Coordinates of all heavy atoms in Angstrom, one line a residue:
A1 N 1.5 -2.1 5.2 CA 0.3 -2.6 5.9 C -1.0 -2.2 5.2 O -1.1 -1.1 4.6 CB 0.3 -2.1 7.3
P2 N -2.0 -3.1 5.2 CA -3.2 -2.8 4.5 C -3.9 -1.6 5.2 O -3.9 -1.5 6.4 CB -4.1 -4.0 4.7 CG -3.2 -5.1 5.3 CD -2.0 -4.4 5.8
T3 N -4.5 -0.7 4.4 CA -5.3 0.4 4.9 C -6.7 -0.1 5.3 O -7.1 -1.2 4.9 CB -5.4 1.5 3.9 OG1 -6.2 1.0 2.8 CG2 -4.1 2.0 3.4
A4 N -7.4 0.7 6.0 CA -8.8 0.4 6.4 C -9.6 0.2 5.1 O -10.5 -0.8 5.1 CB -9.4 1.5 7.2
S5 N -9.4 1.0 4.1 CA -10.1 0.9 2.8 C -9.8 -0.5 2.2 O -10.7 -1.2 1.7 CB -9.8 2.0 1.9 OG -10.4 1.9 0.7
M6 N -8.5 -0.9 2.2 CA -8.1 -2.1 1.6 C -8.8 -3.3 2.3 O -9.2 -4.3 1.7 CB -6.6 -2.3 1.6 CG -5.9 -1.3 0.6 SD -4.2 -1.2 0.9 CE -3.6 -2.8 0.4
M7 N -8.8 -3.2 3.6 CA -9.4 -4.3 4.4 C -10.9 -4.4 4.2 O -11.5 -5.5 4.1 CB -9.1 -4.1 5.9 CG -7.6 -4.3 6.2 SD -7.1 -4.4 7.9 CE -7.8 -2.9 8.6
K8 N -11.6 -3.3 4.0 CA -13.0 -3.3 3.8 C -13.3 -3.9 2.4 O -14.2 -4.7 2.2 CB -13.6 -1.9 3.9 CG -15.1 -1.8 3.7 CD -15.7 -0.5 4.0 CE -17.2 -0.5 3.9 NZ -17.8 0.8 4.2
A9 N -12.5 -3.5 1.4 CA -12.7 -4.1 0.1 C -12.4 -5.6 0.1 O -13.2 -6.3 -0.5 CB -11.7 -3.4 -0.9
Q10 N -11.4 -6.0 0.8 CA -11.2 -7.4 0.9 C -12.3 -8.2 1.6 O -12.7 -9.2 1.1 CB -9.9 -7.7 1.6 CG -9.5 -9.2 1.7 CD -9.3 -9.8 0.3 OE1 -8.6 -9.3 -0.5 NE2 -10.0 -11.0 0.1
A11 N -12.9 -7.6 2.6 CA -14.0 -8.2 3.3 C -15.2 -8.3 2.3 O -15.9 -9.3 2.3 CB -14.4 -7.4 4.5
M12 N -15.4 -7.3 1.5 CA -16.5 -7.3 0.5 C -16.3 -8.4 -0.5 O -17.3 -9.2 -0.8 CB -16.7 -6.0 -0.2 CG -17.1 -4.8 0.6 SD -17.0 -3.2 -0.2 CE -18.1 -3.4 -1.6
I13 N -15.1 -8.6 -1.0 CA -14.8 -9.6 -1.9 C -15.0 -11.0 -1.3 O -15.6 -11.9 -1.8 CB -13.4 -9.5 -2.5 CG1 -13.3 -8.2 -3.3 CG2 -12.9 -10.7 -3.3 CD1 -11.9 -7.8 -3.7
T14 N -14.5 -11.2 -0.1 CA -14.6 -12.4 0.7 C -16.1 -12.8 0.9 O -16.5 -13.9 0.6 CB -13.9 -12.4 2.0 OG1 -12.5 -12.1 1.8 CG2 -14.0 -13.6 2.8
K15 N -16.9 -11.8 1.3 CA -18.3 -12.1 1.5 C -19.0 -12.5 0.2 O -19.8 -13.4 0.2 CB -19.0 -10.8 2.0 CG -20.5 -11.0 2.3 CD -21.1 -9.8 2.9 CE -22.6 -10.0 3.1 NZ -23.2 -8.8 3.6
A16 N -18.6 -11.8 -0.9 CA -19.2 -12.2 -2.2 C -18.9 -13.6 -2.6 O -19.7 -14.4 -3.1 CB -18.8 -11.2 -3.3
V17 N -17.7 -14.0 -2.4 CA -17.2 -15.4 -2.7 C -17.9 -16.4 -1.8 O -18.4 -17.4 -2.2 CB -15.7 -15.5 -2.6 CG1 -15.3 -16.9 -2.7 CG2 -15.1 -14.7 -3.7
E18 N -17.9 -16.1 -0.5 CA -18.4 -17.0 0.5 C -20.0 -17.2 0.4 O -20.5 -18.3 0.8 CB -18.0 -16.6 1.9 CG -16.6 -16.8 2.2 CD -16.1 -16.3 3.5 OE1 -16.9 -15.6 4.2 OE2 -15.0 -16.6 3.9
T19 N -20.7 -16.2 -0.1 CA -22.1 -16.4 -0.2 C -22.5 -17.3 -1.3 O -23.7 -17.7 -1.4 CB -22.8 -15.0 -0.4 OG1 -22.3 -14.4 -1.6 CG2 -22.6 -14.1 0.8
G20 N -21.6 -17.6 -2.2 CA -21.8 -18.5 -3.2 C -22.8 -18.0 -4.3 O -23.3 -18.8 -5.1
K21 N -22.9 -16.7 -4.4 CA -23.8 -16.1 -5.4 C -23.2 -16.5 -6.8 O -24.0 -16.6 -7.7 CB -24.0 -14.6 -5.2 CG -24.8 -14.3 -4.0 CD -25.0 -12.8 -3.9 CE -25.8 -12.6 -2.6 NZ -26.0 -11.1 -2.3
L22 N -21.9 -16.5 -6.9 CA -21.3 -16.9 -8.1 C -20.4 -18.1 -7.8 O -19.5 -18.0 -6.9 CB -20.4 -15.8 -8.7 CG -21.1 -14.7 -9.5 CD1 -20.1 -13.7 -10.0 CD2 -21.9 -15.3 -10.7
T23 N -20.5 -19.2 -8.5 CA -19.7 -20.3 -8.3 C -18.4 -20.2 -9.1 O -18.4 -19.4 -10.1 CB -20.4 -21.6 -8.7 OG1 -20.6 -21.6 -10.1 CG2 -21.7 -21.8 -8.0
P24 N -17.4 -20.9 -8.8 CA -16.2 -20.9 -9.7 C -16.6 -21.2 -11.2 O -16.0 -20.6 -12.1 CB -15.3 -22.0 -9.1 CG -15.7 -22.0 -7.7 CD -17.2 -21.8 -7.7
A25 N -17.6 -22.1 -11.4 CA -18.0 -22.4 -12.7 C -18.6 -21.2 -13.4 O -18.4 -21.0 -14.6 CB -19.0 -23.6 -12.7
D26 N -19.4 -20.4 -12.6 CA -19.9 -19.1 -13.2 C -18.8 -18.2 -13.6 O -18.9 -17.6 -14.7 CB -20.8 -18.4 -12.2 CG -22.1 -19.2 -11.8 OD1 -22.6 -20.0 -12.6 OD2 -22.5 -19.0 -10.6
V27 N -17.8 -18.0 -12.8 CA -16.7 -17.1 -13.1 C -16.0 -17.7 -14.3 O -15.6 -16.9 -15.2 CB -15.8 -17.0 -11.9 CG1 -14.5 -16.2 -12.3 CG2 -16.5 -16.3 -10.8
A28 N -15.8 -19.0 -14.4 CA -15.1 -19.5 -15.6 C -15.9 -19.3 -16.8 O -15.3 -18.9 -17.9 CB -14.9 -21.0 -15.3
A29 N -17.2 -19.5 -16.8 CA -18.0 -19.2 -18.0 C -17.9 -17.8 -18.4 O -17.8 -17.5 -19.6 CB -19.5 -19.6 -17.7
Q30 N -18.0 -16.8 -17.4 CA -17.9 -15.4 -17.8 C -16.5 -15.1 -18.4 O -16.4 -14.4 -19.4 CB -18.1 -14.6 -16.6 CG -19.5 -14.5 -16.1 CD -19.6 -13.6 -14.9 OE1 -18.9 -12.6 -14.7 NE2 -20.6 -13.8 -14.1
T31 N -15.5 -15.8 -17.9 CA -14.1 -15.6 -18.4 C -14.0 -16.1 -19.8 O -13.5 -15.4 -20.7 CB -13.1 -16.3 -17.5 OG1 -13.2 -15.7 -16.2 CG2 -11.7 -16.1 -18.0
F32 N -14.5 -17.3 -20.1 CA -14.4 -17.9 -21.4 C -15.3 -17.0 -22.4 O -14.9 -16.8 -23.6 CB -14.8 -19.3 -21.4 CG -13.8 -20.2 -20.9 CD1 -14.0 -21.0 -19.8 CD2 -12.5 -20.3 -21.5 CE1 -13.0 -21.8 -19.2 CE2 -11.5 -21.1 -21.0 CZ -11.8 -21.9 -19.8
D33 N -16.4 -16.5 -22.0 CA -17.3 -15.7 -22.8 C -16.5 -14.4 -23.2 O -16.5 -14.0 -24.4 CB -18.6 -15.3 -22.1 CG -19.6 -16.4 -22.0 OD1 -19.4 -17.5 -22.7 OD2 -20.5 -16.3 -21.2
A34 N -15.8 -13.8 -22.2 CA -15.1 -12.6 -22.5 C -13.9 -12.9 -23.5 O -13.7 -12.1 -24.4 CB -14.5 -12.0 -21.2
I35 N -13.2 -14.0 -23.3 CA -12.1 -14.3 -24.2 C -12.7 -14.5 -25.6 O -12.2 -14.0 -26.6 CB -11.4 -15.6 -23.7 CG1 -10.6 -15.3 -22.4 CG2 -10.5 -16.1 -24.8 CD1 -10.1 -16.5 -21.7
R36 N -13.8 -15.3 -25.7 CA -14.4 -15.5 -27.0 C -14.8 -14.2 -27.7 O -14.7 -14.0 -28.9 CB -15.6 -16.5 -26.9 CG -16.2 -16.8 -28.2 CD -17.6 -17.6 -28.1 NE -18.5 -16.7 -27.4 CZ -19.1 -17.0 -26.2 NH1 -18.8 -18.2 -25.6 NH2 -20.0 -16.2 -25.7
D37 N -15.4 -13.3 -26.9 CA -15.9 -12.0 -27.4 C -14.8 -10.9 -27.6 O -15.1 -9.8 -28.0 CB -17.0 -11.5 -26.5 CG -18.2 -12.4 -26.5 OD1 -18.3 -13.2 -27.4 OD2 -19.0 -12.3 -25.5
G38 N -13.6 -11.3 -27.2 CA -12.5 -10.3 -27.3 C -12.5 -9.2 -26.3 O -12.0 -8.1 -26.5
R39 N -13.2 -9.4 -25.1 CA -13.3 -8.4 -24.1 C -12.1 -8.6 -23.1 O -11.8 -9.7 -22.6 CB -14.6 -8.5 -23.3 CG -15.8 -8.0 -24.1 CD -17.0 -8.0 -23.2 NE -17.5 -9.4 -23.1 CZ -17.7 -10.0 -21.9 NH1 -17.3 -9.4 -20.8 NH2 -18.1 -11.2 -21.9
F40 N -11.4 -7.5 -22.8 CA -10.3 -7.5 -21.9 C -10.8 -7.5 -20.4 O -10.4 -8.3 -19.6 CB -9.4 -6.3 -22.1 CG -8.2 -6.3 -21.2 CD1 -7.1 -7.1 -21.4 CD2 -8.2 -5.5 -20.0 CE1 -6.0 -7.1 -20.6 CE2 -7.1 -5.5 -19.2 CZ -6.0 -6.3 -19.4
W41 N -11.7 -6.6 -20.1 CA -12.2 -6.4 -18.8 C -13.3 -7.4 -18.5 O -14.3 -7.5 -19.3 CB -12.8 -5.0 -18.5 CG -11.7 -4.0 -18.7 CD1 -11.6 -3.1 -19.8 CD2 -10.6 -3.7 -17.9 NE1 -10.5 -2.3 -19.6 CE2 -9.9 -2.7 -18.4 CE3 -10.2 -4.2 -16.6 CZ2 -8.7 -2.2 -17.8 CZ3 -9.0 -3.7 -16.0 CH2 -8.3 -2.7 -16.6
I42 N -13.3 -8.1 -17.3 CA -14.3 -9.0 -16.9 C -14.7 -8.6 -15.5 O -14.0 -8.7 -14.6 CB -13.7 -10.5 -16.9 CG1 -13.1 -10.8 -18.2 CG2 -14.7 -11.5 -16.5 CD1 -12.2 -12.1 -18.2
F43 N -16.0 -8.2 -15.4 CA -16.6 -7.8 -14.2 C -17.5 -8.9 -13.7 O -18.6 -9.0 -14.1 CB -17.3 -6.5 -14.3 CG -16.5 -5.3 -14.7 CD1 -16.5 -4.8 -16.0 CD2 -15.6 -4.8 -13.8 CE1 -15.7 -3.8 -16.4 CE2 -14.8 -3.7 -14.1 CZ -14.9 -3.2 -15.4
T44 N -17.0 -9.8 -12.9 CA -17.7 -11.0 -12.4 C -18.8 -10.6 -11.4 O -19.8 -11.3 -11.3 CB -16.8 -12.0 -11.8 OG1 -16.1 -11.4 -10.7 CG2 -15.9 -12.6 -12.8
H45 N -18.6 -9.5 -10.7 CA -19.6 -9.1 -9.7 C -20.0 -7.6 -10.0 O -19.2 -6.7 -9.7 CB -19.0 -9.1 -8.3 CG -18.7 -10.5 -7.8 ND1 -17.6 -11.2 -8.3 CD2 -19.4 -11.3 -7.0 CE1 -17.6 -12.4 -7.7 NE2 -18.6 -12.5 -6.9
A46 N -21.1 -7.5 -10.6 CA -21.6 -6.2 -11.1 C -21.6 -5.1 -10.0 O -21.5 -3.9 -10.2 CB -23.0 -6.3 -11.7
A47 N -21.8 -5.6 -8.7 CA -21.9 -4.6 -7.6 C -20.6 -3.8 -7.4 O -20.6 -2.8 -6.8 CB -22.2 -5.4 -6.3
F48 N -19.5 -4.3 -7.9 CA -18.2 -3.7 -7.8 C -17.9 -2.6 -8.9 O -17.0 -1.8 -8.7 CB -17.0 -4.7 -7.8 CG -17.0 -5.5 -6.5 CD1 -17.3 -6.8 -6.6 CD2 -16.6 -4.9 -5.3 CE1 -17.3 -7.6 -5.4 CE2 -16.5 -5.7 -4.2 CZ -16.9 -7.0 -4.2
K49 N -18.7 -2.6 -9.9 CA -18.5 -1.6 -11.0 C -18.5 -0.2 -10.5 O -17.6 0.6 -11.0 CB -19.5 -1.8 -12.1 CG -19.1 -1.0 -13.4 CD -19.9 -1.4 -14.6 CE -19.4 -0.5 -15.8 NZ -19.4 0.9 -15.6
P50 N -19.4 0.2 -9.6 CA -19.3 1.6 -9.2 C -17.9 2.0 -8.5 O -17.4 3.1 -8.6 CB -20.4 1.8 -8.1 CG -21.4 0.7 -8.6 CD -20.5 -0.4 -9.1
L51 N -17.3 1.0 -7.9 CA -16.0 1.2 -7.3 C -14.9 1.4 -8.4 O -14.1 2.3 -8.3 CB -15.5 0.0 -6.5 CG -16.5 -0.4 -5.3 CD1 -15.9 -1.6 -4.6 CD2 -16.6 0.8 -4.3
F52 N -15.0 0.7 -9.5 CA -14.1 0.8 -10.6 C -14.3 2.2 -11.3 O -13.4 2.9 -11.7 CB -14.3 -0.3 -11.6 CG -14.1 -1.7 -11.1 CD1 -15.0 -2.7 -11.5 CD2 -13.1 -2.0 -10.1 CE1 -14.8 -4.0 -10.9 CE2 -13.0 -3.2 -9.6 CZ -13.8 -4.2 -10.0
D53 N -15.6 2.6 -11.4 CA -15.9 3.8 -12.0 C -15.4 5.0 -11.2 O -14.8 6.0 -11.8 CB -17.5 4.0 -12.2 CG -18.1 3.0 -13.2 OD1 -17.3 2.5 -14.1 OD2 -19.3 2.8 -13.1
A54 N -15.5 4.9 -9.9 CA -15.0 6.0 -9.0 C -13.4 6.1 -9.2 O -12.9 7.2 -9.2 CB -15.4 5.7 -7.6
R55 N -12.8 4.9 -9.2 CA -11.3 5.0 -9.3 C -10.9 5.6 -10.7 O -10.0 6.4 -10.7 CB -10.8 3.5 -9.2 CG -9.3 3.4 -9.3 CD -8.5 4.2 -8.2 NE -9.0 4.0 -6.9 CZ -8.4 3.3 -6.0 NH1 -7.2 2.6 -6.3 NH2 -8.8 3.2 -4.8
L56 N -11.6 5.2 -11.8 CA -11.3 5.8 -13.1 C -11.5 7.3 -13.1 O -10.7 8.0 -13.6 CB -12.2 5.1 -14.2 CG -12.0 5.7 -15.6 CD1 -10.6 5.5 -16.1 CD2 -13.0 5.0 -16.5
E57 N -12.6 7.7 -12.5 CA -12.9 9.2 -12.4 C -11.8 9.9 -11.7 O -11.3 11.0 -12.1 CB -14.2 9.4 -11.7 CG -14.6 10.9 -11.6 CD -15.9 11.1 -10.9 OE1 -16.8 10.2 -11.0 OE2 -16.0 12.2 -10.3
D58 N -11.3 9.3 -10.5 CA -10.2 9.9 -9.8 C -8.9 10.0 -10.7 O -8.3 11.0 -10.7 CB -9.9 9.2 -8.5 CG -11.0 9.3 -7.5 OD1 -11.8 10.2 -7.6 OD2 -11.0 8.4 -6.6
M59 N -8.7 9.0 -11.4 CA -7.5 8.9 -12.3 C -7.6 10.0 -13.3 O -6.6 10.7 -13.6 CB -7.3 7.6 -12.9 CG -6.9 6.5 -11.9 SD -7.0 4.8 -12.5 CE -5.9 4.9 -13.9
Q60 N -8.8 10.1 -14.0 CA -8.9 11.1 -15.1 C -8.8 12.5 -14.6 O -8.3 13.4 -15.3 CB -10.3 10.9 -15.7 CG -10.4 9.6 -16.5 CD -11.8 9.3 -17.0 OE1 -12.8 9.7 -16.3 NE2 -11.9 8.7 -18.1
Q61 N -9.1 12.7 -13.3 CA -9.0 14.1 -12.8 C -7.7 14.3 -12.0 O -7.5 15.4 -11.4 CB -10.2 14.3 -11.8 CG -11.5 14.2 -12.6 CD -12.6 15.0 -12.0 OE1 -12.5 15.8 -11.1 NE2 -13.8 14.8 -12.5
L62 N -6.8 13.3 -12.1 CA -5.5 13.4 -11.5 C -5.7 13.6 -10.0 O -4.8 14.3 -9.3 CB -4.6 14.5 -12.1 CG -4.3 14.3 -13.6 CD1 -3.5 15.4 -14.1 CD2 -3.7 13.0 -13.9
A63 N -6.7 13.1 -9.4 CA -7.0 13.2 -8.0 C -6.5 12.0 -7.2 O -6.4 10.9 -7.8 CB -8.5 13.4 -7.8
N64 N -6.2 12.2 -6.0 CA -5.8 11.1 -5.1 C -7.1 10.2 -5.0 O -8.2 10.6 -5.0 CB -5.4 11.5 -3.7 CG -4.1 12.2 -3.8 OD1 -3.3 12.0 -4.6 ND2 -3.9 13.1 -2.8
P65 N -6.8 8.9 -4.9 CA -8.0 7.9 -4.8 C -8.8 8.2 -3.6 O -8.3 8.4 -2.5 CB -7.3 6.6 -4.7 CG -5.9 6.7 -5.0 CD -5.6 8.2 -4.9
R66 N -10.1 8.3 -3.8 CA -11.0 8.4 -2.7 C -11.2 7.1 -2.0 O -10.8 6.1 -2.5 CB -12.4 9.0 -3.1 CG -13.1 8.0 -4.0 CD -14.4 8.7 -4.6 NE -14.0 9.1 -5.9 CZ -14.9 9.5 -6.8 NH1 -16.2 9.6 -6.4 NH2 -14.6 9.9 -8.0
N67 N -11.9 7.0 -0.9 CA -12.2 5.8 -0.2 C -13.3 5.1 -1.0 O -14.4 5.1 -0.5 CB -12.5 6.0 1.2 CG -12.7 4.8 2.0 OD1 -12.5 3.7 1.5 ND2 -13.2 4.9 3.2
A68 N -13.0 4.5 -2.1 CA -14.1 4.0 -3.0 C -14.8 2.8 -2.3 O -16.0 2.6 -2.5 CB -13.5 3.5 -4.3
A69 N -14.1 2.1 -1.4 CA -14.8 0.9 -0.8 C -15.8 1.4 0.2 O -16.7 0.7 0.5 CB -13.7 0.1 -0.1
G70 N -15.7 2.6 0.6 CA -16.7 3.2 1.6 C -17.9 3.9 0.9 O -18.8 4.3 1.6
M71 N -17.9 3.9 -0.4 CA -19.0 4.5 -1.1 C -20.2 3.7 -1.0 O -20.2 2.5 -0.9 CB -18.6 4.7 -2.6 CG -17.4 5.7 -2.8 SD -17.0 5.8 -4.5 CE -18.5 6.4 -5.3
K72 N -21.3 4.4 -1.1 CA -22.7 3.7 -1.1 C -23.0 3.4 -2.5 O -22.7 4.1 -3.4 CB -23.7 4.6 -0.4 CG -23.4 5.0 1.0 CD -23.7 3.8 1.9 CE -23.4 4.2 3.3 NZ -23.1 3.2 4.2

């Protein structure tokens, strides 16, 4: 079953998609740019990068994942 953190993260993603700040064409353009530039990671929504950074930090410190979706 999804945790509260997972549901909050999904709600954030859904809101980002539904607000139309990035269209599918925008995401496709970013994807093709990344492929052309040889980049593996594609961050289509910059606002989510702090969540990824927090998860990486937890992994590097061998810590259990914090509630990254609840971070400010």
Side-chain angles (χ1 to χ4, degrees):
T3 64
S5 178
M6 291 167 66
M7 291 188 307
K8 184 172 184 175
Q10 182 60 50
M12 291 171 63
I13 293 167
T14 300
K15 182 178 178 183
V17 171
E18 289 176 349
T19 60
K21 291 182 181 176
L22 280 180
T23 67
D26 294 330
V27 173
Q30 289 183 26
T31 302
F32 285 118
D33 288 346
I35 292 168
R36 183 190 61 242
D37 297 341
R39 285 185 286 119
F40 180 82
W41 298 107
I42 305 168
F43 298 105
T44 57
H45 293 77
F48 289 108
K49 188 167 181 309
L51 303 177
F52 305 139
D53 292 341
R55 182 56 54 99
L56 176 60
E57 181 181 328
D58 290 340
M59 291 168 58
Q60 290 172 327
Q61 301 207 9
L62 302 176
N64 290 333
R66 67 186 99 171
N67 182 7
M71 293 177 59
K72 300 281 182 207

